[in-house]
Amino acid sequence: MLVALAANLVIAAAKAVGGLAASSPALLSEAAHSVADSVNEVFLLAALRRSRRPADRRHPFGYGKERFFWALLAAVGIFVMGGCFSFYQGVEALRNGGGEHGRSGYVAGLVVLGVALLAEGGSLLRALHQVRAQGDTGKALRDPALRTVIAEDGTAVVGVTLAIAGMALHMITGRVEWEAGASLAIGALLVYVAFRLGRDARDQLIGEAADPEASRRIRELLRAQPEIDSVEALLTMKTGLDSTLVAARVDLVPGLDSERVEEIAVRIKRSIVRTVPEAEQVFLDITERGSPEAREAWESPAATRERGEA
């Protein structure tokens, strides 16, 4: 990732110099896009490093959600530095008009964009190859860092293509509206990508439930236990990329002594971890059918809601 960061900075500098030399709004928009990508890669490096810290007293469930926090900052960076600046360049070009400052400046700018297209396309292919190499594509794409990299590379390829088209049409027709339109299109693309990445990060930060398939397997495992009379509630929450908190309220069949209940609880927790390896934290609230605690649990709003969802 450090190599990609260095390459992005070089590309951003080349785009900025070319954009200023040719007074090209599309090329300047792409320069802002590359700067945003560079800042985001710094955020992702911080996410990878900080999210691997072990749990401690202040954070007993670990630091897995750090990935989602830095992914949210990356989305904000794409929106502000990329999307808003591109909109500004497009609007200014439409308001003030203008033309290329020398054909050579535009030719140099198109060469810079061509090199950038090859670099961004190669980076996108590497990222997609990494996803395929992991086997489970769905699980790989749940990684906010990898998802952000793919989104950045994909939008970079589309953005550079739009900028090339806008600059080429500007050169051919002499009308700046083509470049202004390209800048506005780049801005719209970046705002959309930022919105999608930010929404996903928000869902994870506020406590998204585990995948429905994982919840289904846990529920089926609990219902299959002969000592469990009913599953009153099952709550899950992702605490990191590969970690999930599981909390279940179950009623046991009558007549079990305390030692037997403890053995059952330990066995069930181990079975849940074997069934769903990412379930790092498992909490069981066990009551006996017909007891006051069971009646209170059954009548609680959470249990009522859970029964309705089931």
Side-chain angles (χ1 to χ4, degrees), residues 133-157:
Q134 294 188 21
D136 189 346
T137 302
K139 182 178 180 179
L141 290 178
R142 288 198 295 271
D143 184 346
L146 183 57
R147 190 167 59 242
T148 302
V149 169
I150 292 175
E152 286 180 354
D153 290 341
T155 55
V157 170

Side-chain angles (χ1 to χ4, degrees), residues 245-303:
L245 182 149
V246 178
R249 182 183 298 116
V250 299
D251 277 346
L252 299 182
V253 296
L256 299 173
D257 57 40
S258 58
E259 291 185 2
R260 179 63 175 151
V261 169
E262 184 176 353
E263 292 176 0
I264 293 169
V266 172
R267 189 193 71 216
I268 291 174
K269 288 181 180 180
R270 290 175 177 172
S271 299
I272 291 175
V273 173
R274 285 196 300 269
T275 302
V276 183
E278 61 266 28
E280 292 188 354
Q281 301 285 343
V282 180
F283 299 93
L284 292 179
D285 181 10
I286 295 177
T287 57
E288 183 178 321
R289 170 65 72 184
S291 67
E293 293 83 358
R295 286 194 297 273
E296 182 179 352
W298 177 261
E299 295 169 357
S300 69

Side-chain angles (χ1 to χ4, degrees), residues 33-289:
H33 185 181
S34 293
V35 171
D37 286 350
S38 300
V39 173
N40 292 340
E41 285 177 1
V42 174
F43 288 158
L44 296 179
L45 283 171
L48 293 174
R49 181 182 298 272
R50 296 179 63 84
S51 65
R52 292 170 179 164
R53 290 180 294 170
D56 54 33
R57 181 174 297 179
R58 291 188 61 190
H59 298 86
F61 296 109
Y63 290 82
K65 287 195 175 186
E66 284 257 16
R67 287 196 181 216
F68 311 133
F69 169 73
W70 292 102
L72 179 61
L73 290 186
V76 173
I78 293 174
F79 176 81
V80 175
M81 290 182 287
C84 293
F85 185 80
S86 297
F87 276 126
Y88 170 77
Q89 286 295 321
V91 171
E92 282 296 300
L94 290 175
R95 287 179 55 191
N96 301 326
E100 65 269 24
H101 288 195
R103 187 179 184 86
S104 61
Y106 262 50
V107 171
L110 288 172
V111 170
V112 169
L113 288 175
V115 173
L117 181 60
L118 292 175
E120 301 291 2
S123 180
L124 177 60
L125 290 176
R126 286 195 302 272
L128 293 176
H129 176 73
Q130 181 180 348
V131 171
R132 289 194 296 269
Q134 294 188 21
D136 189 346
T137 302
K139 182 178 180 179
L141 290 178
R142 288 198 295 271
D143 184 346
L146 183 57
R147 190 167 59 242
T148 302
V149 169
I150 292 175
E152 286 180 354
D153 290 341
T155 55
V157 170
V158 176
V160 170
T161 303
L162 289 171
I164 290 174
M167 289 183 68
L169 289 170
H170 186 182
M171 287 181 63
I172 295 170
T173 65
R175 298 186 63 84
V176 75
E177 288 83 357
W178 289 109
E179 270 200 87
S183 292
L184 293 174
I186 292 170
L189 175 66
L190 294 176
V191 167
Y192 172 74
V193 170
F195 168 75
R196 290 294 302 270
L197 292 175
R199 185 183 63 179
D200 292 343
R202 178 208 62 187
D203 291 343
Q204 301 281 9
L205 284 172
I206 63 179
E208 186 178 43
D211 296 332
E213 176 62 20
S215 297
R216 183 190 64 79
R217 294 202 306 269
I218 295 173
R219 186 180 295 277
E220 288 183 353
L221 183 149
L222 293 173
R223 287 174 172 170
Q225 304 303 312
E227 299 88 355
I228 293 181
D229 187 73
S230 63
V231 180
E232 304 301 334
L234 174 63
L235 304 176
T236 62
M237 183 179 68
K238 295 180 181 178
T239 56
L241 179 62
D242 295 312
S243 59
T244 300
L245 182 149
V246 178
R249 182 183 298 116
V250 299
D251 277 346
L252 299 182
V253 296
L256 299 173
D257 57 40
S258 58
E259 291 185 2
R260 179 63 175 151
V261 169
E262 184 176 353
E263 292 176 0
I264 293 169
V266 172
R267 189 193 71 216
I268 291 174
K269 288 181 180 180
R270 290 175 177 172
S271 299
I272 291 175
V273 173
R274 285 196 300 269
T275 302
V276 183
E278 61 266 28
E280 292 188 354
Q281 301 285 343
V282 180
F283 299 93
L284 292 179
D285 181 10
I286 295 177
T287 57
E288 183 178 321
R289 170 65 72 184

